[in-house]
Amino acid sequence: MTSSSAEPEDTSGNTAHTAGRRVRSRAAGLRRRPLLVALLILCISAAAIFAVTSFVEHQWQAAAQARFDARTERVTTRLRRLLSASETVLYGARAALDLSPSMTSAAWQQYVEKLELDSSALPIRALGYADVASASTGIIGNSPLTGRHLSVTLLAPAGGLVRPDLFDQDSFVHAALLRAAQDNQVALAVHFASDVDAAADNEAVLLLCLPRYSGSTVPASPEAHRTSPRGFLFASLDTRRLFEPLVAGRPSIELNVQAGRPGAFIYATDSGSVEAPATTSLFRKTDTLTYGGMPLTLVYTANGSASATGADVVNGTILLMGIGVAFALAGLAYALTATYAKNMLMPGVATLNEARMMGIIRSSMEAIITIDEAQTVVIFNPMAEHVFGVSAMEAVGAPLSRFIPERFRQAHGRHVEQFGVTGVSERLMGRQRVLFGLRANGEEFPIEASISQIRDATGKLYTVMLRDVTERLRADNALKQSREELRDLSANLQNVREEEKTRIARELHDDLGQQLTALKMDLSAVEQTLDAHPPAQPDAIASVSGQLLSMRLLIDSTVASVRRIAADLRPVMLDDLGLVPAIEWLANDFTNRYGIDVERHIDPGDTRFAKRGATTVFRIVQEALANVARHADATLVVLTLETEGGYCVLRIVDNGRGTDAGVRTHIERGAHADKSFGLIGIRERAHMLRGTVTIDTSRDRGFALTVAFPLHAIEAEDPIP
């Protein structure tokens, strides 16, 4: 008996030892878990920080490059404006000399002083006139001016000319004189004269030359232009006054300028080199500005390193903040995991967790209802009491159907049964159609719901989380109504704008055009009167005739500008000839302006466009071609207009650089995937005629825009042929 009673004691001891070892092993595992979780969070955060800093640096550098390109473009534009302003001064000087052919040096000095060139923003150093005179030896080269030479007769301020024999000895200047004489336009030349006092601080001087003919009468042929100039007006430009103000407000940009081909150096900023070490980047852009027959090559450079653009400061800030957040998250994860492990090792954890869960359910802002397999309510939290207007005491033990409208009860019962078998539910909060609940007072209201299930000792329990979305639906409906009203307002504004453009275009074309034509006729009458009754002084009649000719040319230019502005506002042929001729005109004008070929396939069949439909299609084509000119960098555009399957389909495809917007992006109503206002305008115009807009694009594979209109929306009882 003694030996038989000892075996159970050993067995219970081994069982207790094994159980204790299992408890200790589980406790050790729970104690190690917080550190592992914290390390995992720290590694994930470090990877995220690295990705974010790399992305931010790339975007920051791209933005810096874009700002550099925009600044250099503004500098080039301003340079062109300065040269044009200097050219205007030269034309004014020629007019003044034509009015006073026998002007003396003193009078010329007084005229130039009134221009106040030193105090103006213009780079003109001196203004003068060189007369063409016969000579025993001609100027250099084989030219129609052989046998003649140029002598400077007028010059102000004194000493502004770089060399007396400049016009007879310098080949660059001579070539510019030939261009000016042949084209009767201003020509630009570069002269190197560092050994002359007038340009001692400048090794290069730019000259603007303009021919002058006897009696202000311009010869009829280019050959006569070259052989009969009476003299040349010229303006010497100070390169430092020309280029330094352009980059004065942009200290980070360096400018190097070369003239002609091959390029001859004429200017460079002296603020120091921007050449960065090999490990950093350098922004560089080259623009070519051809003015007066001479190309000017502008080379812009700027330090594009991260330290120069500020990217390193931004990355450093993000890195420090990211490290702080990473350690904070790791510490929080460690604390939460350690608290959980501690609670799991304490007795009565299940009871404590259940109490906490009930506390969460009671404080939840969502209505929570738990039912058993018989669909009887077992939990009804305070928010559910508020939503349904029923106390928990009344709800617990009642069937769930009490809170569902009668017409939905059968379907809801089948859904719960299916969920109990498959565990799959269609009802996920915010991702389903709106359901309806029933309040205690009989009022139905919209809800969103999600359902889950658990199994305990008594069977399955289903928990439903409900959200009253009455206010949200009311706000959504108000938003939809507001959106429709805004679309109607936008459509009305488009119509008013088209009508105003039409009115202004017709007034410009009819009224102002007729007035300019009448003015030109009056001018012709004055010319005829002068021819019939010449005055006693032939030089005076020649000068007046030249001025009248200039006025005629100015009127012709003004008439052309009026017609162009009127056509840009609204082509008259759109109303007079119809949509197809208007599109043909628009394509030809686009090719003439931008040099981009437009291949046309226009076959609308028997479609007769209403005025509104024709205007909409024309404006869409106009905006699409404008986008190609601004962004595509294309050489060919294919324009197709045809009817198929009850739709009028417009398709515009270019071979430009495309975008990264995706292989195929469909512009849905209200979507703003593309930030281009041009595309948004096209979408809104198409929407007014119930049309759809589709974009096909990818990087370096062009851009295709397709607009489809229902035929019944673009045809009307009073169509345009």
Side-chain angles (χ1 to χ4, degrees), residues 329-367:
L329 290 176
L332 180 61
Y334 181 87
L336 293 176
T337 310
T339 302
Y340 173 78
K342 180 179 179 181
N343 292 337
M344 291 299 295
L345 296 176
M346 294 177 59
V349 169
T351 302
L352 180 61
N353 287 342
E354 182 177 354
R356 290 176 176 172
M357 183 190 68
M358 292 305 299
I360 293 173
I361 290 176
R362 285 193 297 270
S363 61
S364 173
M365 298 301 293
E366 308 289 347

Side-chain angles (χ1 to χ4, degrees), residues 503-522 554-567 572:
R503 184 187 65 80
I504 295 174
R506 288 199 178 277
E507 289 184 0
L508 285 175
H509 185 272
D510 297 341
D511 297 343
L512 187 55
Q514 292 177 2
Q515 293 175 11
L516 289 173
T517 302
L519 181 60
K520 186 175 180 180
M521 295 173 64
D522 292 341
L554 180 60
I555 292 174
D556 290 341
S557 176
T558 306
V559 170
S561 297
V562 168
R563 290 176 178 173
R564 176 179 54 79
I565 294 171
V572 177

